[in-house]
Amino acid sequence: MKNLWSDREARSFVRRYAKERVNRDRALRVYTSRLLGGEPALVLHGGGNTSVKTTMKDVMGQNIEVLCVKGSGWDMAAIEPEGLPAVRLGPLREMVKLKRLSDEDMVNAQRVNLLDSTAPNPSVETLLHAFLPHKFIDHTHANAVLSLTDQKDGEALCRRLFGKKMGYVPYIIPGLDLSRKTLQVYEADPSVQGLILLKHGIFTFGDTAKQAYSRMIGMVTLAELRLKKGRKKVFTAAKLPQKTTAVADIAPVLRGLTRYGGKRLIFDFRGGAKVLNFVNGKDIRRYACQGTATPDHVIRTKQKPLITPAPETGGLNAFRKGTARALDRYVKDYQAYFKRNNRRQKIKRTELDPMPRVIMVPGLGLFGLGADAKAARITADLAETNIEVITAAECLGAYKVISEADTFDIEYWSLEQAKLGKGSEKPLARHVSVVTGGCSGIGAATARALAAEGSEVAVLDQDEKAALAVAAEFGGLGLACDVTDSRAVRRAFDQVVKKYGGVDIVVSNAGAAWPGTIGEVPDKVLRDSFELNFFAHQSVAQNAVRVMVAQGTGGCLLFNTSKQAVNPSKDFGPYGLPKAATMALMRQYALDYGHLGIKSNAVNADRIRSGLLTDDMVKARARARGLSQSDYMSGNLLGREVTAEDVAKVFVDLARSTKTTAAIVTVDGGNIAAALR
């Protein structure tokens, strides 16, 4: 592992934060925390922690000895000084005299000793940092170290490698007991440069930030070199089908099966040689189902993955049935695991949902599952990290982690659960939306509105650069797609499914206006308009229901049909006719798929500034009627201009409605000729 310390960079951090009245110690602590946090082989997604002992002034202006330690919820890769809350060191050190300390009392004691009451909760390992005397302390869950400790003889392996440079601490859940045991191990030999916490991670310390960091890199490098020594091929491949079903066909099936309590999950797929080598192994149920590489992961990944049958091309129904049986066993096993371990708890826990958070599919790869795209991505990252650790561990011997009881204590530990955050979800959370014509006024406004309601959103548009720009506003997916090309539409939906696992809401919005007197218009103009304003809607809807039917969880189709479908304008037939056909299409989908819980509705809008009605067109139409632009745009019963955001709101309302289908909603400020009911 490369040592990234730079004296020049370190000095720049000190200068930068001095302007913000942050002292040298904290500035250097930020610098090396970022170095550690930026290396995925050391820490991932908020894992690990760091600290520095320094002095700061309290409200009375007195210099107080404090421990600045990573705060809960902060990621070391992007940490700022406020992510290292300062806690009075004296009271923390006094706690070593306590015989017992509950988790809640520990958190409270740490909070009441914060210099800033608004600071985040200090790390759950704060007491460990406080009890050790060193100025700078670093803690990571280095993959290479875990591969050594996660063995039956892990301690012996580590002692042979690190010798007396390190101390060795048995696995204990973080808290007072671990902190005191760590101090005991250190005091037995104060010459050690750090500590190996068996089946948990590694600590290093030093008088300076550079020394503590360099020791971490040095020890991890030793572990990496040991793992490369005599490395052998470990996983014997199972016999698998010659041809495997595509991810885009498998994901919706899995997503539908894993819905629990009416709640969907978002998926994140991972493939690649390392993942396939792991999931294709004949003994996958032995090495993949023991537990996580470090206990912290269990709150996101659960103890075990779901392992499905291998999906053979043409055998999707068999895959669905086989996976349903495997999932049923998984749920029953999880419920039994909960009951077994909850019996011994003084304070009874409430069972979490029993759905897996990692699904391994032989021949294909793995899926990380979460309440949103970020959570799914984190789960998938952790699953890949576990694969790295387990693969290396199996090269040395046999992977072995903490006991089931210890795993349960972490999974249901209130201090770990707090890391996941709490709070109510937005109305469209856990939903995946697709918006075509997503860069037009209405399309972009609708994409933003759906994202604001909690949905994951894919923006499809002919202009890839514009689609990416709109999607970037809310962390969505931007894709280039010509909706008149049925193959391109299929590819786009497959990409959405591969990204998120499925599709729940589709806003078929793409369109363009062709004018012309119907008895004189060339066939090509009419056919081109039908391609975009009717057949493209059919292609989009077909692909949407393909995914929705596979999921078996219902869905929502929304069409932009325009007022032209009901109230055609003179010399505008090439646009109005296909829009009228699309309105009929919407009703047909409502008829044919309503029994599957798939809703189909349309929005009729009029006089909206967008790609169809540009500012130049507004000026021309207003001038032709002898009106100002404002009077023309507000020429409706309410006398109010309707915006793209108004249309977007109606699309969202229809998406949220659970009992409305085959409906046509007007958004035009009032036009009796276009009113339906």
Side-chain angles (χ1 to χ4, degrees):
M1 181 165 287
K2 188 175 181 180
N3 188 319
L4 299 177
W5 175 277
S6 163
D7 289 335
R8 183 175 60 82
E9 281 293 310
R11 288 192 296 269
S12 74
F13 269 71
V14 173
R15 288 194 301 270
R16 170 188 166 188
Y17 286 113
K19 297 175 183 177
E20 301 174 23
R21 297 185 178 180
V22 173
N23 69 22
R24 175 184 174 83
D25 290 340
R26 287 181 85 195
L28 291 173
R29 181 70 288 175
V30 169
Y31 173 55
T32 51
S33 295
R34 289 190 185 181
L35 292 182
L36 295 169
E39 174 49 70
L42 293 176
V43 294
L44 271 179
H45 302 298
N49 43 67
T50 56
S51 71
V52 61
K53 298 176 180 73
T54 187
T55 58
M56 293 176 62
K57 292 187 183 297
D58 66 8
V59 71
M60 302 302 293
Q62 296 178 329
N63 284 325
I64 303 293
E65 193 175 9
V66 297
L67 175 76
C68 294
V69 62
K70 195 196 88 165
S72 179
W74 277 86
D75 189 328
M76 294 203 314
I79 203 164
E80 293 287 348
E82 54 266 34
L84 294 160
V87 195
R88 291 177 177 83
L89 185 57
L92 294 180
R93 283 180 164 164
E94 284 294 307
M95 292 183 199
V96 75
K97 301 173 184 176
L98 295 172
K99 291 184 178 180
R100 63 183 63 86
L101 181 67
S102 71
D103 296 332
E104 290 72 23
D105 286 343
M106 179 181 71
V107 172
N108 182 62
Q110 291 170 182
R111 284 211 63 81
V112 298
N113 282 292
L114 286 166
L115 284 194
D116 180 358
S117 65
T118 66
N121 281 340
S123 165
V124 296
E125 285 156 339
T126 292
L127 293 184
L128 192 158
H129 287 264
F131 291 174
L132 292 171
H134 310 86
K135 187 175 182 67
F136 287 89
I137 299 177
D138 296 348
H139 170 45
T140 73
H141 302 141
N143 291 358
V145 173
L146 290 171
S147 294
L148 294 175
T149 70
D150 289 354
Q151 304 271 348
K152 185 176 181 180
D153 59 344
E155 182 175 352
L157 277 169
C158 290
R159 285 184 181 276
R160 285 197 295 271
L161 178 63
F162 299 113
K164 293 186 177 181
K165 292 179 181 178
M166 302 292 281
Y168 304 90
V169 183
Y171 176 78
I172 303 172
I173 193 170
L176 179 64
D177 290 344
L178 174 62
S179 303
R180 292 205 311 200
K181 182 62 177 178
T182 301
L183 178 61
Q184 180 185 338
V185 171
Y186 165 73
E187 288 180 335
D189 183 3
S191 69
V192 297
Q193 299 175 22
L195 301 164
I196 301 294
L197 273 61
L198 298 170
K199 304 188 187 301
H200 178 163
I202 175 174
F203 279 81
T204 56
F205 24 76
D207 297 327
T208 66
K210 182 177 183 179
Q211 185 181 50
Y213 169 76
S214 297
R215 284 175 170 174
M216 177 64 71
I217 300 304
M219 296 303 170
V220 173
T221 299
L222 279 177
E224 289 176 334
L225 293 173
R226 174 63 185 87
L227 293 174
K228 289 179 181 178
K229 185 179 178 181
R231 191 177 178 101
K232 63 182 187 297
K233 185 177 179 181
V234 286
F235 302 128
T236 302
K239 187 176 181 180
L240 298 172
Q242 288 188 333
K243 291 186 178 181
T244 304
T245 307
V247 175
D249 294 325
I250 292 299
V253 172
L254 295 174
R255 188 162 178 255
L257 290 172
T258 53
R259 187 172 68 160
Y260 187 78
K263 290 188 174 183
R264 299 166 168 86
L265 289 164
I266 304 299
F267 281 38
D268 191 305
F269 175 73
R270 302 296 168 89
K274 290 181 179 179
V275 171
L276 285 171
N277 180 51
F278 187 90
V279 303
N280 291 351
K282 184 175 67 174
D283 298 326
I284 184 174
R285 296 183 188 282
R286 174 185 65 78
Y287 55 73
C289 295
Q290 287 194 42
T292 56
T294 187
D296 290 26
H297 292 182
V298 75
I299 62 170
R300 291 189 182 275
T301 66
K302 292 195 181 290
Q303 183 191 22
K304 302 176 183 180
L306 170 68
I307 300 170
T308 75
E312 186 171 7
T313 298
L316 198 58
N317 286 335
F319 174 80
R320 182 192 296 274
K321 291 177 182 177
T323 300
R325 289 193 295 268
L327 182 61
D328 183 60
R329 289 194 299 271
Y330 184 98
V331 169
K332 289 177 179 176
D333 287 348
Y334 184 85
Q335 291 170 338
Y337 152 82
F338 176 80
K339 289 176 182 177
R340 274 195 309 273
N341 290 282
N342 199 38
R343 289 193 194 104
R344 61 185 177 80
Q345 303 296 314
K346 291 180 181 178
I347 301 175
K348 300 305 179 185
R349 307 299 185 188
T350 299
E351 185 177 348
L352 300 171
D353 84 72
M355 284 296 129
R357 290 301 186 270
V358 176
I359 300 177
M360 294 186 172
V361 185
L364 199 66
L366 70 83
F367 295 91
L369 283 61
D372 55 31
K374 179 181 178 182
R377 185 183 72 252
I378 290 173
T379 301
D381 285 348
L382 295 177
E384 286 198 278
T385 294
N386 275 281
I387 284 176
E388 290 273 357
V389 171
I390 294 171
T391 302
E394 289 281 311
C395 285
L396 286 179
Y399 179 66
K400 187 174 179 60
V401 295
I402 61 175
S403 69
E404 179 188 278
D406 286 329
T407 298
F408 180 88
D409 288 345
I410 287 289
E411 184 177 0
Y412 282 86
W413 187 26
S414 60
L415 302 189
E416 283 292 341
Q417 289 294 317
K419 292 182 180 180
L420 295 179
K422 296 178 180 178
S424 59
E425 292 184 322
K426 292 181 177 180
L428 295 180
R430 302 170 181 260
H431 287 70
V432 178
S433 300
V434 176
V435 181
T436 70
C439 299
S440 69
I442 291 174
T446 302
R448 294 183 188 108
L450 289 165
E453 293 290 303
S455 179
E456 310 299 335
V457 181
V459 177
L460 275 54
D461 199 275
Q462 275 192 303
D463 186 337
E464 182 178 21
K465 187 175 180 180
L468 290 169
V470 172
E473 294 178 25
F474 42 78
L477 176 66
L479 295 173
C481 181
D482 176 0
V483 291
T484 64
D485 181 343
S486 60
R487 289 174 298 181
V489 174
R490 170 76 189 228
R491 286 194 301 270
F493 270 82
D494 285 354
Q495 285 178 271
V496 174
V497 171
K498 192 171 181 179
K499 172 72 173 176
Y500 298 120
V503 174
D504 305 300
I505 300 163
V506 171
V507 180
S508 192
N509 170 70
W514 275 269
T517 303
I518 198 63
E520 302 169 12
V521 67
D523 280 356
K524 185 177 185 311
V525 171
L526 195 57
R527 292 180 186 279
D528 285 348
S529 183
F530 263 90
E531 283 295 331
L532 178 58
N533 293 310
F534 172 74
F535 285 108
H537 289 288
Q538 163 66 348
S539 181
V540 168
Q542 275 187 321
N543 278 279
V545 297
R546 168 177 62 88
V547 177
M548 292 171 182
V549 169
Q551 288 175 161
T553 57
C556 179
L557 301 175
L558 297 169
F559 299 86
N560 186 343
T561 56
S562 162
K563 76 98 183 178
Q564 294 296 327
V566 181
N567 174 212
S569 299
K570 185 176 182 296
D571 296 332
F572 221 41
Y575 179 58
L577 288 171
K579 283 295 187 179
T582 298
M583 186 172 72
L585 180 74
M586 175 275 291
R587 287 174 163 161
Q588 196 64 48
Y589 272 99
L591 279 167
D592 291 352
Y593 292 94
H595 69 289
L596 296 177
I598 297 174
K599 304 173 297 175
S600 181
N601 295 297
V603 171
N604 284 348
D606 189 26
R607 299 191 188 185
I608 312 297
R609 295 178 194 267
S610 66
L612 297 181
L613 188 57
T614 64
D615 285 342
D616 286 343
M617 292 169 68
V618 171
K619 291 177 184 177
R621 292 184 182 187
R623 190 164 48 247
R625 290 166 173 78
L627 300 171
S628 68
Q629 292 182 53
S630 176
D631 287 341
Y632 172 74
M633 293 302 290
S634 59
N636 52 53
L637 297 179
L638 295 176
R640 299 171 185 167
E641 180 176 347
V642 181
T643 67
E645 288 70 27
D646 295 323
V647 181
K649 183 179 183 302
V650 174
F651 275 127
V652 169
D653 289 343
L654 287 170
R656 291 181 57 181
S657 174
T658 59
K659 298 178 182 178
T660 300
T661 194
I664 303 166
V665 180
T666 58
V667 192
D668 55 14
N671 175 6
I672 289 298
L676 290 159
R677 61 174 182 174

